[in-house]
Amino acid sequence: MIKPPDISPVLLLDVSIRPRHNFYLADETSVSFIVDAKASHIHGQPYNDPQETPDQQIELRDHANTTTGQFQKGDVLAVKIFHTDTGVDIITIAAIAFDETDREYSISLESFQPRLTPWPITLELRKRDGTKFRATTELSYLPIPGGPQSFSRIDSLRNALQVRNEGPYWQTIFPYTFYVSGAWLAESPDNLKKLSSLGYYILHIVPSGDGIGYDLDQLDAWFDEAEAIGLWIMLDMRWTYQNRDYVRTQVERYKRRKNMLLWYTADEPDGHGDPLDAPSKAYAFIKSLDPYHPISLCLNCQNYHFQEYSAGADIILADVYPIGTNTEFSNKYHTPCNTTYGDCGCDNCHTSPSSPALANIPSRLALWSQFQTQLGLPRKTFWTVPQAFTAQDFFTRTPTPREVVAMAMLGMNHGANGAV
């Protein structure tokens, strides 16, 4: 469980750098780096000179309007970005204000060569008194494989998903779909077209629990049809992501499809008690086979090893299911539910006249965003998972269509950049 962090009594400068996109391709000529110079009392190194007099400083206040620290009026820091391995400068004439975030610097890629190994990059900020603050990142500048295939990447400034499969132009898409079953697809050859006609443009088929989880020949046929009607693929490996042979088979078979969008590995690994490092191991293995598509997983619990499980994906889905749920007593297991015991289908959710059931969705996303800040983790993209299934197990009723729309919109309005 993540607990509140220790608070520094002195003001810190928390410096970070990241490429705007998680990779660039060999036919691109420029890259953007995003730099943060955040005031903090959790992460970073001391910022103030203890000899500064009070009239040289102004107060920094938090959202509760309580004093959190002081910094010099008009502080501007010099920016230098350079190759970590060689020390060769990339940017030397630039600046950023104290407590400024998401400052973008664009540079030419002429000093880089496309390769599968990321380029290590160092950021150095310097105060007027000469004090230096450093952070590091990696730049992925990838060769373009021969033959047709798709590419998809994350814009970390907007937390948006970009795709391309023909030509050099990237298109931003907003992921919106639902999980579908193979049994439903098999009911009628028109069901894929029905999915597309309703405005959804991602196909996410839930695998069975047997073997690799799919009839791969049937899956090929569905994916061919999906490509023909403009559906992107989100390939679900929930039952097999810990089996390298099964993972390799699926990744090698589908990574070059022109409508491949992203991989989905663990489904509620926190709720199932999967090994804490299982998603990260799968992530590293899949990236070694296919660095051209992001990896996603879905977390179920509010605060159970969030750091360890979230490390295994680029995109984190939140399946907060608050409709028809008894949050105090499990309808399935007939046991009480509290912060340390029991499973009621919506972990640590609360419902009351002052806190309606749907409020659990924005509160979960806000908490996970807070965790990332507290832990100093790289910012991940969040997607929301609306409850859109019939009454079963923990859930005494089926959500209404209006409730499904409300759940999706609440997620999107509170930090989710996709809905599945």
Side-chain angles (χ1 to χ4, degrees):
M1 178 176 289
I2 298 171
K3 298 179 180 179
D6 295 330
I7 303 300
S8 168
V10 300
L11 181 64
L12 308 175
L13 182 63
D14 184 14
V15 174
S16 65
I17 180 173
R18 66 188 188 277
R20 176 165 178 171
H21 301 99
N22 61 310
F23 69 82
Y24 293 80
L25 292 175
D27 60 359
E28 297 182 86
T29 58
S30 64
V31 58
S32 290
F33 287 106
I34 308 300
V35 173
D36 294 334
K38 294 184 292 187
S40 177
H41 278 272
I42 302 174
H43 303 288
Q45 67 186 82
Y47 182 76
N48 288 326
D49 181 345
Q51 302 304 316
E52 290 172 354
T53 59
D55 62 352
Q56 291 177 298
Q57 304 172 339
I58 61 175
E59 292 179 350
L60 173 72
R61 295 179 176 271
D62 65 14
H63 294 299
N65 203 35
T66 56
T67 302
T68 62
Q70 296 179 320
F71 61 94
Q72 287 185 296
K73 294 180 180 179
D75 263 5
V76 176
L77 298 100
V79 175
K80 183 169 78 168
I81 300 174
F82 58 91
H83 289 268
T84 305
D85 292 340
T86 64
V88 173
D89 291 338
I90 302 169
I91 291 179
T92 56
I93 305 175
I96 188 170
F98 178 88
D99 204 29
E100 184 177 359
T101 59
D102 290 337
R103 181 65 179 268
E104 186 172 8
Y105 302 92
S106 296
I107 65 163
S108 169
L109 281 165
E110 62 184 3
S111 65
F112 299 89
Q113 295 297 318
R115 66 186 196 186
L116 293 176
T117 304
W119 291 88
I121 302 295
T122 297
L123 164 72
E124 180 181 281
L125 302 187
R126 188 179 71 255
K127 288 178 64 176
R128 281 174 286 194
D129 66 5
T131 305
K132 297 178 180 179
F133 307 82
R134 286 190 172 185
T136 60
T137 190
E138 292 184 330
L139 170 65
S140 289
Y141 184 39
L142 299 174
I144 299 176
Q149 79 164 80
S150 67
F151 306 97
S152 56
R153 68 183 185 185
I154 297 170
D155 176 349
S156 72
L157 187 61
R158 307 294 181 215
N159 279 325
L161 195 62
Q162 293 187 330
V163 297
R164 63 178 259 194
N165 56 13
E166 293 182 1
Y169 303 108
W170 291 94
Q171 174 189 1
T172 299
I173 65 172
F174 190 93
Y176 187 60
T177 193
F178 287 94
Y179 298 84
V180 300
S181 71
W184 178 75
L185 290 177
E187 287 177 4
S188 168
D190 295 326
N191 278 347
L192 263 181
K193 294 184 179 67
K194 183 183 296 184
L195 184 70
S196 177
S197 69
L198 291 172
Y200 305 115
Y201 47 88
I202 297 175
L203 176 61
H204 183 149
I205 304 172
V206 178
S208 72
D210 300 323
I212 205 166
Y214 302 104
D215 177 332
L216 294 182
D217 292 334
Q218 175 63 76
L219 202 60
D220 290 341
W222 282 332
F223 286 176
D224 286 343
E225 184 181 354
E227 181 180 333
I229 61 177
L231 289 173
W232 292 92
I233 297 167
M234 184 174 183
L235 185 67
D236 192 322
M237 296 185 279
R238 66 180 66 190
W239 307 119
T240 59
Y241 83 96
Q242 297 184 63
N243 183 314
R244 287 203 165 194
D245 290 336
Y246 284 159
V247 169
R248 184 188 298 276
T249 295
Q250 293 172 91
V251 173
E252 294 292 356
R253 189 177 185 113
Y254 297 117
K255 68 181 183 181
R256 291 187 177 274
R257 293 198 68 99
K258 291 170 65 176
N259 58 335
M260 185 67 214
L261 184 64
L262 75 160
W263 310 104
Y264 181 94
T265 56
D267 185 80
E268 301 183 351
D270 45 356
H272 294 299
D274 290 359
L276 298 181
D277 62 352
S280 293
K281 287 180 176 178
Y283 180 92
F285 183 58
I286 294 171
K287 287 293 185 181
S288 73
L289 302 173
D290 174 31
Y292 300 99
H293 299 95
I295 297 168
S296 63
L297 60 75
C298 184
L299 295 182
N300 171 251
C301 297
Q302 180 199 46
N303 184 6
Y304 184 72
H305 294 289
F306 174 86
Q307 180 174 6
E308 293 86 350
Y309 287 125
S310 68
D314 304 299
I315 299 167
I316 309 300
L317 285 74
D319 61 351
V320 183
Y321 297 152
I323 302 299
T325 306
N326 184 340
T327 59
E328 297 180 354
F329 190 84
S330 175
N331 295 326
K332 181 176 182 179
Y333 298 114
H334 307 292
T335 61
C337 292
N338 53 47
T339 56
T340 59
Y341 180 80
D343 181 357
C344 284
C346 193
D347 188 47
N348 286 342
C349 290
H350 302 283
T351 301
S352 69
S354 61
S355 179
L358 296 188
N360 290 287
I361 295 168
S363 66
R364 179 72 56 87
L365 293 169
L367 183 66
W368 286 0
S369 180
Q370 178 183 323
F371 287 166
Q372 292 187 124
T373 299
Q374 287 181 201
L375 296 167
L377 300 175
R379 281 190 276 180
K380 302 280 178 131
T381 298
F382 292 150
W383 292 0
T384 188
V385 182
Q387 180 180 342
F389 45 80
T390 56
Q392 57 186 274
D393 295 332
F394 308 100
F395 310 100
T396 58
R397 70 176 180 87
T398 301
T400 67
R402 289 172 62 88
E403 286 173 329
V404 173
V405 171
M407 284 185 278
M409 293 305 300
L410 279 168
M412 296 174 194
N413 289 336
H414 290 270
N417 288 81
V420 177

